[in-house]
Amino acid sequence: MKELIKLRHELHKHPEVSNNEFATSERILAFIQKYSPDEVIKLGKTGLIFIYNGEKPGKTTLFRAELDALPITEINNLDYTSAAKGVAHSCGHDGHMTVLAGLAKKISQNRPHKGRAVILFQPAEEVEQGAKDVIEHPDFIKLKPDYVFALHNIPGVEKSKILIKQGSFAAASKGMTIKLFGKTSHAAEPENGINPAIAISKIIKRLNDLNQDKFSDLTFLTIIHVLLGKISFGTSPGYAEIRATLRAFENKDMKLLTERAEQIVYQVAKEEKLKEEISFSEVFPAVVNNEECVKIIENSVEEANLKIERMKKPFRWSEDFGYFSNEYKGGFFGLGSGINQPALHNPDYDFPDDIIKSGVEVFFNIYKKLNL
């Protein structure tokens, strides 16, 4: 474990933001090459895949971790506090990477008898396109994984307790940007212009009043930013923007929520004689667990003698592992990181070293069931 903890501290001390994980990728490559993978594939600028091939045909089992850190200034006073100004591993991806590095070490000592084990280090989880870019990469498409697994540490939960759920595990989300184009005029002659102010109030009111009865599970829409013209008391503005975050536990509800939100914008823009533009960013599908994968995880947790909690509702946060679970049989679980652990994305968050072993054990047990 000392070797893994040293790696985790190095990764923590030298974090890099999404799509710039060059040194992080090099550290991972140097560490895992010591454990003799049969193949190494580089995806894009920083993504890495390590493959251990079995002697006989069988299933391809993929395990994934994230390379990127967050644009947050760390406030911890640790021997390995972030040395990168304004960047920190405040989501625990340094720990997730270390768990997969530990898995690679164990697989190298217990090579697959059948099929193959694939270990993926994915760039840019925090900004959504990371997983999407990976699954669309020709070298990844060729792998055709039968199963994909990942974990996320969960603050507020007893250390090493495993959280699992059938179906949706984490919510779908997307950012919606609404642009409204009217006509600017003098503030003394507002009748000569088309001011989007009334449209803004109508759109916000109608978006907030979307009827929850139309959806199968929880959905909600949060207005996060509004812009109307510029600060000039002599001008009646002709341009406005509204930004909102849409969330839904189920992908089908996200589709419906998106359609209904768009309809409201189109309708109000027509009423107020405005032109409109709608765009979406940071699109995360819901993480949906496959029933077979959940059973494999549960059996693996029991074999590791760890506590398990079966969740009743998905998490409200999002994770781009949803892109994988949309395409392949996916299994995603939570790894408790401590009752008093600061929340994810907080500047004083630090992944606890004493849960690394539990993550490695669960993943290795999954691997044994499918490839040994």
Side-chain angles (χ1 to χ4, degrees):
M1 284 300 297
K2 288 182 179 179
E3 183 186 31
L4 292 178
I5 291 171
K6 181 182 177 182
L7 172 65
R8 210 279 294 178
H9 291 184
E10 287 177 358
L11 294 169
H12 188 95
K13 188 173 183 177
H14 303 284
E16 295 170 299
V17 294
S18 302
N19 292 313
N20 287 279
E21 312 97 332
F22 298 103
T24 302
S25 183
E26 289 174 4
R27 282 188 172 86
I28 292 296
L29 181 62
F31 185 93
I32 294 185
Q33 278 186 326
K34 294 184 297 185
Y35 298 106
S36 306
D38 295 312
E39 298 178 59
V40 179
I41 301 172
K42 294 185 178 181
L43 294 180
K45 295 185 295 183
T46 60
L48 288 170
I49 287 176
F50 301 93
I51 300 175
Y52 291 88
N53 291 317
E55 301 166 359
K56 301 176 182 179
K59 303 294 186 182
T60 296
T61 309
L62 182 143
F63 301 89
R64 167 273 206 174
E66 318 93 313
L67 289 163
D68 54 337
L70 288 158
I72 291 174
T73 299
E74 186 172 14
I75 61 173
N76 288 320
N77 185 22
L78 307 165
D79 292 338
Y80 51 89
T81 296
S82 173
K85 186 177 180 180
V87 184
H89 270 298
S90 301
C91 201
H93 293 179
D94 54 336
H96 301 170
M97 285 186 277
T98 303
V99 168
L100 278 203
L103 175 64
K105 181 177 180 179
K106 287 183 75 72
I107 290 175
S108 73
Q109 298 162 350
N110 302 268
R111 289 183 174 265
H113 297 322
K114 56 186 178 181
R116 56 185 172 173
V118 178
I119 297 179
L120 165 67
F121 292 87
Q122 176 210 307
E125 187 277 330
E126 296 291 354
V127 294
E128 159 266 326
Q129 94 279 1
K132 188 171 186 293
D133 288 347
V134 165
I135 66 170
E136 292 176 352
H137 195 286
D139 288 338
F140 184 86
I141 293 170
K142 292 176 187 175
L143 290 174
K144 297 180 180 178
D146 295 286
Y147 302 96
V148 290
F149 293 94
L151 62 75
H152 206 292
N153 77 94
I154 311 292
V157 175
E158 179 184 346
K159 285 183 178 180
S160 294
K161 178 186 276 189
I162 303 300
L163 279 65
I164 192 64
K165 183 181 177 297
Q166 297 275 9
S168 180
F169 184 92
S173 71
K174 63 174 61 173
M176 181 181 192
T177 298
I178 303 161
K179 296 182 178 181
L180 301 171
F181 302 88
K183 182 181 178 183
T184 303
S185 67
H186 198 290
E189 299 174 335
E191 69 277 10
N192 293 332
I194 303 175
N195 190 325
I198 299 301
I200 288 175
S201 62
K202 284 185 176 181
I203 288 171
I204 291 176
K205 177 70 167 60
R206 294 182 192 180
L207 288 177
N208 283 331
D209 289 346
L210 278 170
N211 189 346
Q212 286 294 316
D213 292 341
K214 299 290 185 181
F215 303 99
S216 62
D217 208 328
L218 178 69
T219 65
F220 56 104
L221 184 151
T222 307
I223 304 297
I224 58 112
H225 180 75
V226 177
L227 170 70
L228 176 63
K230 296 181 180 179
I231 300 175
S232 174
F233 290 102
T235 303
S236 176
Y239 176 75
E241 292 182 10
I242 305 169
R243 286 180 166 81
T245 301
L246 286 63
R247 290 190 184 274
F249 281 168
E250 301 292 338
N251 285 320
K252 63 180 181 180
D253 283 341
M254 175 56 80
K255 183 175 183 294
L256 179 59
L257 179 63
T258 301
E259 291 171 352
R260 298 185 68 201
E262 288 177 325
Q263 288 169 1
I264 287 169
V265 175
Y266 296 144
Q267 183 178 356
V268 172
K270 184 176 181 181
E271 291 172 4
E272 298 297 320
K273 299 180 173 58
L274 299 163
K275 293 181 180 179
E276 81 292 319
E277 285 183 8
I278 300 172
S279 61
F280 296 95
S281 57
E282 297 188 21
V283 179
F284 292 83
V287 174
V288 180
N289 277 336
N290 171 269
E291 184 177 355
E292 182 184 359
C293 290
V294 170
K295 290 178 180 177
I296 293 169
I297 293 169
E298 288 176 336
N299 292 336
S300 298
V301 173
E302 290 171 3
E303 187 178 336
N305 293 316
L306 297 174
K307 294 181 181 178
I308 190 166
E309 178 180 328
R310 292 170 178 84
M311 298 158 50
K312 294 181 179 179
K313 286 289 183 181
F315 284 106
R316 289 190 175 195
W317 44 258
S318 300
E319 228 282 355
D320 76 355
F321 188 78
Y323 283 102
F324 293 97
S325 67
N326 269 1
E327 297 290 331
Y328 308 99
K329 290 182 178 180
F332 193 93
F333 61 92
L335 174 62
S337 53
I339 298 294
N340 298 316
Q341 173 72 268
L344 300 174
H345 294 211
N346 276 25
D348 56 345
Y349 172 90
D350 178 42
F351 186 96
D353 292 325
D354 48 353
I355 67 171
I356 294 171
K357 182 180 178 182
S358 299
V360 173
E361 284 184 357
V362 175
F363 274 159
F364 185 64
N365 290 345
I366 292 170
Y367 159 77
K368 287 194 300 181
K369 294 180 187 306
L370 293 170
N371 297 103
L372 284 184

mmCIF file of all heavy atoms in Angstrom, residues 193-232:
data_model
loop_
_atom_site.group_PDB
_atom_site.id
_atom_site.type_symbol
_atom_site.label_atom_id
_atom_site.label_comp_id
_atom_site.label_asym_id
_atom_site.label_seq_id
_atom_site.Cartn_x
_atom_site.Cartn_y
_atom_site.Cartn_z
ATOM 1 N N GLY A 193 -38.699 50.088 -29.713
ATOM 2 C CA GLY A 193 -37.834 48.923 -29.599
ATOM 3 C C GLY A 193 -38.618 47.678 -29.197
ATOM 4 O O GLY A 193 -39.844 47.711 -29.050
ATOM 5 N N ILE A 194 -37.905 46.583 -29.040
ATOM 6 C CA ILE A 194 -38.501 45.338 -28.528
ATOM 7 C C ILE A 194 -37.615 44.881 -27.378
ATOM 8 O O ILE A 194 -36.528 44.319 -27.598
ATOM 9 C CB ILE A 194 -38.592 44.251 -29.610
ATOM 10 C CG1 ILE A 194 -39.389 44.749 -30.825
ATOM 11 C CG2 ILE A 194 -39.246 42.985 -29.036
ATOM 12 C CD1 ILE A 194 -39.421 43.769 -31.983
ATOM 13 N N ASN A 195 -38.042 45.120 -26.159
ATOM 14 C CA ASN A 195 -37.264 44.820 -24.951
ATOM 15 C C ASN A 195 -37.591 43.398 -24.471
ATOM 16 O O ASN A 195 -38.767 43.082 -24.265
ATOM 17 C CB ASN A 195 -37.623 45.849 -23.876
ATOM 18 C CG ASN A 195 -36.717 45.785 -22.668
ATOM 19 O OD1 ASN A 195 -36.277 44.714 -22.272
ATOM 20 N ND2 ASN A 195 -36.457 46.942 -22.063
ATOM 21 N N PRO A 196 -36.590 42.556 -24.276
ATOM 22 C CA PRO A 196 -36.857 41.170 -23.855
ATOM 23 C C PRO A 196 -37.201 41.012 -22.370
ATOM 24 O O PRO A 196 -37.367 39.882 -21.912
ATOM 25 C CB PRO A 196 -35.532 40.444 -24.155
ATOM 26 C CG PRO A 196 -34.703 41.389 -24.940
ATOM 27 C CD PRO A 196 -35.156 42.756 -24.594
ATOM 28 N N ALA A 197 -37.315 42.096 -21.631
ATOM 29 C CA ALA A 197 -37.504 41.993 -20.183
ATOM 30 C C ALA A 197 -38.752 41.188 -19.808
ATOM 31 O O ALA A 197 -38.708 40.328 -18.920
ATOM 32 C CB ALA A 197 -37.563 43.381 -19.554
ATOM 33 N N ILE A 198 -39.876 41.487 -20.465
ATOM 34 C CA ILE A 198 -41.113 40.771 -20.147
ATOM 35 C C ILE A 198 -40.975 39.290 -20.515
ATOM 36 O O ILE A 198 -41.437 38.400 -19.793
ATOM 37 C CB ILE A 198 -42.317 41.398 -20.883
ATOM 38 C CG1 ILE A 198 -42.510 42.856 -20.466
ATOM 39 C CG2 ILE A 198 -43.588 40.590 -20.590
ATOM 40 C CD1 ILE A 198 -42.735 43.051 -18.978
ATOM 41 N N ALA A 199 -40.305 39.031 -21.621
ATOM 42 C CA ALA A 199 -40.097 37.641 -22.039
ATOM 43 C C ALA A 199 -39.283 36.883 -20.999
ATOM 44 O O ALA A 199 -39.578 35.716 -20.697
ATOM 45 C CB ALA A 199 -39.401 37.611 -23.399
ATOM 46 N N ILE A 200 -38.270 37.526 -20.432
ATOM 47 C CA ILE A 200 -37.466 36.877 -19.393
ATOM 48 C C ILE A 200 -38.356 36.453 -18.229
ATOM 49 O O ILE A 200 -38.285 35.314 -17.756
ATOM 50 C CB ILE A 200 -36.361 37.834 -18.879
ATOM 51 C CG1 ILE A 200 -35.277 38.001 -19.931
ATOM 52 C CG2 ILE A 200 -35.739 37.291 -17.591
ATOM 53 C CD1 ILE A 200 -34.212 39.016 -19.544
ATOM 54 N N SER A 201 -39.195 37.377 -17.765
ATOM 55 C CA SER A 201 -40.045 37.053 -16.607
ATOM 56 C C SER A 201 -41.013 35.930 -16.938
ATOM 57 O O SER A 201 -41.247 35.033 -16.113
ATOM 58 C CB SER A 201 -40.800 38.302 -16.133
ATOM 59 O OG SER A 201 -41.677 38.792 -17.138
ATOM 60 N N LYS A 202 -41.572 35.938 -18.139
ATOM 61 C CA LYS A 202 -42.503 34.880 -18.546
ATOM 62 C C LYS A 202 -41.794 33.530 -18.617
ATOM 63 O O LYS A 202 -42.313 32.512 -18.132
ATOM 64 C CB LYS A 202 -43.119 35.209 -19.914
ATOM 65 C CG LYS A 202 -44.207 36.270 -19.907
ATOM 66 C CD LYS A 202 -44.785 36.390 -21.315
ATOM 67 C CE LYS A 202 -45.942 37.363 -21.384
ATOM 68 N NZ LYS A 202 -46.509 37.443 -22.758
ATOM 69 N N ILE A 203 -40.630 33.507 -19.257
ATOM 70 C CA ILE A 203 -39.904 32.245 -19.438
ATOM 71 C C ILE A 203 -39.515 31.655 -18.093
ATOM 72 O O ILE A 203 -39.724 30.465 -17.829
ATOM 73 C CB ILE A 203 -38.663 32.460 -20.323
ATOM 74 C CG1 ILE A 203 -39.088 32.703 -21.773
ATOM 75 C CG2 ILE A 203 -37.725 31.244 -20.244
ATOM 76 C CD1 ILE A 203 -37.958 33.144 -22.695
ATOM 77 N N ILE A 204 -38.970 32.491 -17.204
ATOM 78 C CA ILE A 204 -38.552 31.987 -15.890
ATOM 79 C C ILE A 204 -39.744 31.446 -15.119
ATOM 80 O O ILE A 204 -39.686 30.365 -14.523
ATOM 81 C CB ILE A 204 -37.835 33.088 -15.094
ATOM 82 C CG1 ILE A 204 -36.479 33.397 -15.743
ATOM 83 C CG2 ILE A 204 -37.633 32.669 -13.639
ATOM 84 C CD1 ILE A 204 -35.729 34.544 -15.101
ATOM 85 N N LYS A 205 -40.853 32.185 -15.146
ATOM 86 C CA LYS A 205 -42.057 31.738 -14.422
ATOM 87 C C LYS A 205 -42.557 30.405 -14.973
ATOM 88 O O LYS A 205 -42.841 29.469 -14.214
ATOM 89 C CB LYS A 205 -43.149 32.789 -14.557
ATOM 90 C CG LYS A 205 -44.499 32.426 -13.915
ATOM 91 C CD LYS A 205 -44.397 32.425 -12.404
ATOM 92 C CE LYS A 205 -45.768 32.391 -11.749
ATOM 93 N NZ LYS A 205 -46.564 31.209 -12.091
ATOM 94 N N ARG A 206 -42.630 30.272 -16.288
ATOM 95 C CA ARG A 206 -43.168 29.047 -16.881
ATOM 96 C C ARG A 206 -42.211 27.863 -16.717
ATOM 97 O O ARG A 206 -42.656 26.726 -16.528
ATOM 98 C CB ARG A 206 -43.499 29.292 -18.362
ATOM 99 C CG ARG A 206 -44.645 30.289 -18.548
ATOM 100 C CD ARG A 206 -45.010 30.485 -20.014
ATOM 101 N NE ARG A 206 -45.892 31.629 -20.184
ATOM 102 C CZ ARG A 206 -46.373 32.051 -21.357
ATOM 103 N NH1 ARG A 206 -46.055 31.391 -22.467
ATOM 104 N NH2 ARG A 206 -47.165 33.110 -21.417
ATOM 105 N N LEU A 207 -40.913 28.128 -16.790
ATOM 106 C CA LEU A 207 -39.958 27.045 -16.561
ATOM 107 C C LEU A 207 -40.049 26.533 -15.128
ATOM 108 O O LEU A 207 -40.002 25.324 -14.877
ATOM 109 C CB LEU A 207 -38.530 27.518 -16.849
ATOM 110 C CG LEU A 207 -38.162 27.747 -18.313
ATOM 111 C CD1 LEU A 207 -36.734 28.288 -18.421
ATOM 112 C CD2 LEU A 207 -38.304 26.492 -19.153
ATOM 113 N N ASN A 208 -40.192 27.448 -14.190
ATOM 114 C CA ASN A 208 -40.301 27.039 -12.782
ATOM 115 C C ASN A 208 -41.608 26.313 -12.484
ATOM 116 O O ASN A 208 -41.692 25.552 -11.521
ATOM 117 C CB ASN A 208 -40.172 28.255 -11.863
ATOM 118 C CG ASN A 208 -38.733 28.720 -11.713
ATOM 119 O OD1 ASN A 208 -37.819 27.922 -11.820
ATOM 120 N ND2 ASN A 208 -38.540 30.005 -11.479
ATOM 121 N N ASP A 209 -42.618 26.558 -13.313
ATOM 122 C CA ASP A 209 -43.929 25.954 -13.075
ATOM 123 C C ASP A 209 -44.168 24.666 -13.858
ATOM 124 O O ASP A 209 -45.285 24.160 -13.892
ATOM 125 C CB ASP A 209 -45.042 26.953 -13.444
ATOM 126 C CG ASP A 209 -45.134 28.103 -12.449
ATOM 127 O OD1 ASP A 209 -44.537 27.989 -11.362
ATOM 128 O OD2 ASP A 209 -45.791 29.115 -12.770
ATOM 129 N N LEU A 210 -43.127 24.142 -14.498
ATOM 130 C CA LEU A 210 -43.307 22.897 -15.254
ATOM 131 C C LEU A 210 -43.936 21.826 -14.365
ATOM 132 O O LEU A 210 -43.472 21.559 -13.254
ATOM 133 C CB LEU A 210 -41.953 22.401 -15.779
ATOM 134 C CG LEU A 210 -41.457 23.055 -17.068
ATOM 135 C CD1 LEU A 210 -40.004 22.664 -17.342
ATOM 136 C CD2 LEU A 210 -42.325 22.649 -18.250
ATOM 137 N N ASN A 211 -44.966 21.191 -14.866
ATOM 138 C CA ASN A 211 -45.756 20.243 -14.082
ATOM 139 C C ASN A 211 -44.998 18.932 -13.869
ATOM 140 O O ASN A 211 -44.710 18.197 -14.822
ATOM 141 C CB ASN A 211 -47.083 19.968 -14.794
ATOM 142 C CG ASN A 211 -48.043 19.175 -13.935
ATOM 143 O OD1 ASN A 211 -47.665 18.598 -12.919
ATOM 144 N ND2 ASN A 211 -49.305 19.161 -14.335
ATOM 145 N N GLN A 212 -44.692 18.619 -12.597
ATOM 146 C CA GLN A 212 -43.947 17.398 -12.287
ATOM 147 C C GLN A 212 -44.759 16.127 -12.565
ATOM 148 O O GLN A 212 -44.181 15.047 -12.682
ATOM 149 C CB GLN A 212 -43.509 17.419 -10.821
ATOM 150 C CG GLN A 212 -42.367 18.383 -10.531
ATOM 151 C CD GLN A 212 -41.071 17.959 -11.215
ATOM 152 O OE1 GLN A 212 -40.711 16.797 -11.203
ATOM 153 N NE2 GLN A 212 -40.376 18.904 -11.825
ATOM 154 N N ASP A 213 -46.045 16.247 -12.678
ATOM 155 C CA ASP A 213 -46.885 15.063 -12.906
ATOM 156 C C ASP A 213 -46.608 14.415 -14.263
ATOM 157 O O ASP A 213 -46.961 13.255 -14.479
ATOM 158 C CB ASP A 213 -48.374 15.444 -12.834
ATOM 159 C CG ASP A 213 -48.796 15.852 -11.434
ATOM 160 O OD1 ASP A 213 -48.080 15.504 -10.483
ATOM 161 O OD2 ASP A 213 -49.835 16.519 -11.296
ATOM 162 N N LYS A 214 -45.994 15.136 -15.159
ATOM 163 C CA LYS A 214 -45.726 14.611 -16.504
ATOM 164 C C LYS A 214 -44.512 13.674 -16.536
ATOM 165 O O LYS A 214 -44.265 13.017 -17.543
ATOM 166 C CB LYS A 214 -45.483 15.772 -17.476
ATOM 167 C CG LYS A 214 -46.665 16.734 -17.625
ATOM 168 C CD LYS A 214 -47.820 16.098 -18.368
ATOM 169 C CE LYS A 214 -48.928 17.103 -18.608
ATOM 170 N NZ LYS A 214 -50.084 16.492 -19.306
ATOM 171 N N PHE A 215 -43.748 13.630 -15.430
ATOM 172 C CA PHE A 215 -42.492 12.894 -15.418
ATOM 173 C C PHE A 215 -42.603 11.648 -14.554
ATOM 174 O O PHE A 215 -43.395 11.591 -13.624
ATOM 175 C CB PHE A 215 -41.362 13.792 -14.920
ATOM 176 C CG PHE A 215 -41.186 15.043 -15.730
ATOM 177 C CD1 PHE A 215 -41.717 16.251 -15.293
ATOM 178 C CD2 PHE A 215 -40.526 15.003 -16.938
ATOM 179 C CE1 PHE A 215 -41.562 17.408 -16.043
ATOM 180 C CE2 PHE A 215 -40.367 16.163 -17.698
ATOM 181 C CZ PHE A 215 -40.890 17.362 -17.253
ATOM 182 N N SER A 216 -41.764 10.656 -14.850
ATOM 183 C CA SER A 216 -41.819 9.394 -14.113
ATOM 184 C C SER A 216 -41.079 9.458 -12.785
ATOM 185 O O SER A 216 -41.343 8.667 -11.883
ATOM 186 C CB SER A 216 -41.230 8.264 -14.969
ATOM 187 O OG SER A 216 -39.866 8.501 -15.257
ATOM 188 N N ASP A 217 -40.128 10.401 -12.651
ATOM 189 C CA ASP A 217 -39.361 10.547 -11.414
ATOM 190 C C ASP A 217 -38.936 12.007 -11.297
ATOM 191 O O ASP A 217 -39.344 12.851 -12.101
ATOM 192 C CB ASP A 217 -38.152 9.602 -11.400
ATOM 193 C CG ASP A 217 -37.739 9.198 -9.981
ATOM 194 O OD1 ASP A 217 -37.919 10.010 -9.060
ATOM 195 O OD2 ASP A 217 -37.238 8.073 -9.798
ATOM 196 N N LEU A 218 -38.082 12.290 -10.343
ATOM 197 C CA LEU A 218 -37.705 13.669 -10.053
ATOM 198 C C LEU A 218 -37.039 14.353 -11.240
ATOM 199 O O LEU A 218 -36.133 13.816 -11.861
ATOM 200 C CB LEU A 218 -36.751 13.700 -8.851
ATOM 201 C CG LEU A 218 -36.237 15.085 -8.448
ATOM 202 C CD1 LEU A 218 -37.370 15.925 -7.873
ATOM 203 C CD2 LEU A 218 -35.107 14.964 -7.441
ATOM 204 N N THR A 219 -37.515 15.545 -11.559
ATOM 205 C CA THR A 219 -36.839 16.448 -12.490
ATOM 206 C C THR A 219 -36.846 17.831 -11.861
ATOM 207 O O THR A 219 -37.744 18.155 -11.076
ATOM 208 C CB THR A 219 -37.560 16.540 -13.858
ATOM 209 O OG1 THR A 219 -38.843 17.145 -13.675
ATOM 210 C CG2 THR A 219 -37.721 15.184 -14.496
ATOM 211 N N PHE A 220 -35.864 18.632 -12.178
ATOM 212 C CA PHE A 220 -35.932 20.030 -11.760
ATOM 213 C C PHE A 220 -35.050 20.885 -12.648
ATOM 214 O O PHE A 220 -34.145 20.397 -13.325
ATOM 215 C CB PHE A 220 -35.589 20.221 -10.281
ATOM 216 C CG PHE A 220 -34.260 19.691 -9.838
ATOM 217 C CD1 PHE A 220 -33.196 20.544 -9.596
ATOM 218 C CD2 PHE A 220 -34.080 18.331 -9.614
ATOM 219 C CE1 PHE A 220 -31.981 20.054 -9.158
ATOM 220 C CE2 PHE A 220 -32.863 17.833 -9.173
ATOM 221 C CZ PHE A 220 -31.811 18.702 -8.947
ATOM 222 N N LEU A 221 -35.382 22.162 -12.666
ATOM 223 C CA LEU A 221 -34.700 23.125 -13.511
ATOM 224 C C LEU A 221 -34.296 24.303 -12.639
ATOM 225 O O LEU A 221 -35.124 24.862 -11.915
ATOM 226 C CB LEU A 221 -35.635 23.554 -14.645
ATOM 227 C CG LEU A 221 -35.083 24.494 -15.718
ATOM 228 C CD1 LEU A 221 -35.810 24.244 -17.042
ATOM 229 C CD2 LEU A 221 -35.238 25.955 -15.323
ATOM 230 N N THR A 222 -33.017 24.674 -12.683
ATOM 231 C CA THR A 222 -32.490 25.739 -11.845
ATOM 232 C C THR A 222 -31.995 26.881 -12.714
ATOM 233 O O THR A 222 -31.096 26.693 -13.548
ATOM 234 C CB THR A 222 -31.315 25.225 -10.977
ATOM 235 O OG1 THR A 222 -31.730 24.064 -10.269
ATOM 236 C CG2 THR A 222 -30.862 26.296 -9.998
ATOM 237 N N ILE A 223 -32.573 28.067 -12.550
ATOM 238 C CA ILE A 223 -32.071 29.249 -13.246
ATOM 239 C C ILE A 223 -30.766 29.671 -12.584
ATOM 240 O O ILE A 223 -30.722 29.901 -11.372
ATOM 241 C CB ILE A 223 -33.087 30.411 -13.181
ATOM 242 C CG1 ILE A 223 -34.450 29.976 -13.756
ATOM 243 C CG2 ILE A 223 -32.550 31.640 -13.921
ATOM 244 C CD1 ILE A 223 -34.450 29.609 -15.207
ATOM 245 N N ILE A 224 -29.690 29.770 -13.378
ATOM 246 C CA ILE A 224 -28.388 30.062 -12.766
ATOM 247 C C ILE A 224 -27.809 31.412 -13.205
ATOM 248 O O ILE A 224 -26.879 31.917 -12.579
ATOM 249 C CB ILE A 224 -27.381 28.927 -13.042
ATOM 250 C CG1 ILE A 224 -27.187 28.700 -14.537
ATOM 251 C CG2 ILE A 224 -27.831 27.627 -12.399
ATOM 252 C CD1 ILE A 224 -25.840 29.078 -15.037
ATOM 253 N N HIS A 225 -28.363 32.026 -14.273
ATOM 254 C CA HIS A 225 -27.816 33.311 -14.719
ATOM 255 C C HIS A 225 -28.813 33.992 -15.648
ATOM 256 O O HIS A 225 -29.454 33.348 -16.477
ATOM 257 C CB HIS A 225 -26.496 33.098 -15.465
ATOM 258 C CG HIS A 225 -25.857 34.365 -15.951
ATOM 259 N ND1 HIS A 225 -25.210 35.237 -15.115
ATOM 260 C CD2 HIS A 225 -25.772 34.912 -17.189
ATOM 261 C CE1 HIS A 225 -24.734 36.263 -15.803
ATOM 262 N NE2 HIS A 225 -25.068 36.080 -17.069
ATOM 263 N N VAL A 226 -28.929 35.319 -15.492
ATOM 264 C CA VAL A 226 -29.774 36.124 -16.377
ATOM 265 C C VAL A 226 -29.007 37.385 -16.776
ATOM 266 O O VAL A 226 -28.385 38.038 -15.927
ATOM 267 C CB VAL A 226 -31.101 36.526 -15.699
ATOM 268 C CG1 VAL A 226 -31.928 37.421 -16.627
ATOM 269 C CG2 VAL A 226 -31.910 35.302 -15.309
ATOM 270 N N LEU A 227 -29.036 37.713 -18.047
ATOM 271 C CA LEU A 227 -28.395 38.926 -18.558
ATOM 272 C C LEU A 227 -29.408 39.689 -19.402
ATOM 273 O O LEU A 227 -30.047 39.112 -20.279
ATOM 274 C CB LEU A 227 -27.179 38.565 -19.419
ATOM 275 C CG LEU A 227 -26.542 39.699 -20.225
ATOM 276 C CD1 LEU A 227 -25.832 40.674 -19.291
ATOM 277 C CD2 LEU A 227 -25.564 39.155 -21.260
ATOM 278 N N LEU A 228 -29.538 40.991 -19.157
ATOM 279 C CA LEU A 228 -30.428 41.837 -19.946
ATOM 280 C C LEU A 228 -29.671 43.099 -20.330
ATOM 281 O O LEU A 228 -29.393 43.959 -19.483
ATOM 282 C CB LEU A 228 -31.685 42.199 -19.159
ATOM 283 C CG LEU A 228 -32.667 43.166 -19.845
ATOM 284 C CD1 LEU A 228 -33.221 42.538 -21.127
ATOM 285 C CD2 LEU A 228 -33.807 43.537 -18.902
ATOM 286 N N GLY A 229 -29.328 43.222 -21.605
ATOM 287 C CA GLY A 229 -28.664 44.412 -22.102
ATOM 288 C C GLY A 229 -27.410 44.776 -21.334
ATOM 289 O O GLY A 229 -26.719 43.926 -20.775
ATOM 290 N N LYS A 230 -27.107 46.085 -21.320
ATOM 291 C CA LYS A 230 -25.973 46.627 -20.575
ATOM 292 C C LYS A 230 -26.471 47.719 -19.644
ATOM 293 O O LYS A 230 -27.569 48.266 -19.833
ATOM 294 C CB LYS A 230 -24.917 47.175 -21.540
ATOM 295 C CG LYS A 230 -24.303 46.116 -22.426
ATOM 296 C CD LYS A 230 -23.240 46.707 -23.345
ATOM 297 C CE LYS A 230 -22.624 45.616 -24.227
ATOM 298 N NZ LYS A 230 -21.589 46.167 -25.151
ATOM 299 N N ILE A 231 -25.663 48.042 -18.649
ATOM 300 C CA ILE A 231 -26.075 49.072 -17.691
ATOM 301 C C ILE A 231 -25.963 50.431 -18.355
ATOM 302 O O ILE A 231 -24.874 51.020 -18.475
ATOM 303 C CB ILE A 231 -25.221 49.008 -16.409
ATOM 304 C CG1 ILE A 231 -25.377 47.642 -15.742
ATOM 305 C CG2 ILE A 231 -25.640 50.123 -15.436
ATOM 306 C CD1 ILE A 231 -24.486 47.432 -14.547
ATOM 307 N N SER A 232 -27.085 50.941 -18.827
ATOM 308 C CA SER A 232 -27.165 52.253 -19.470
ATOM 309 C C SER A 232 -28.585 52.763 -19.304
ATOM 310 O O SER A 232 -29.525 52.236 -19.909
ATOM 311 C CB SER A 232 -26.812 52.134 -20.960
ATOM 312 O OG SER A 232 -27.018 53.364 -21.616
#
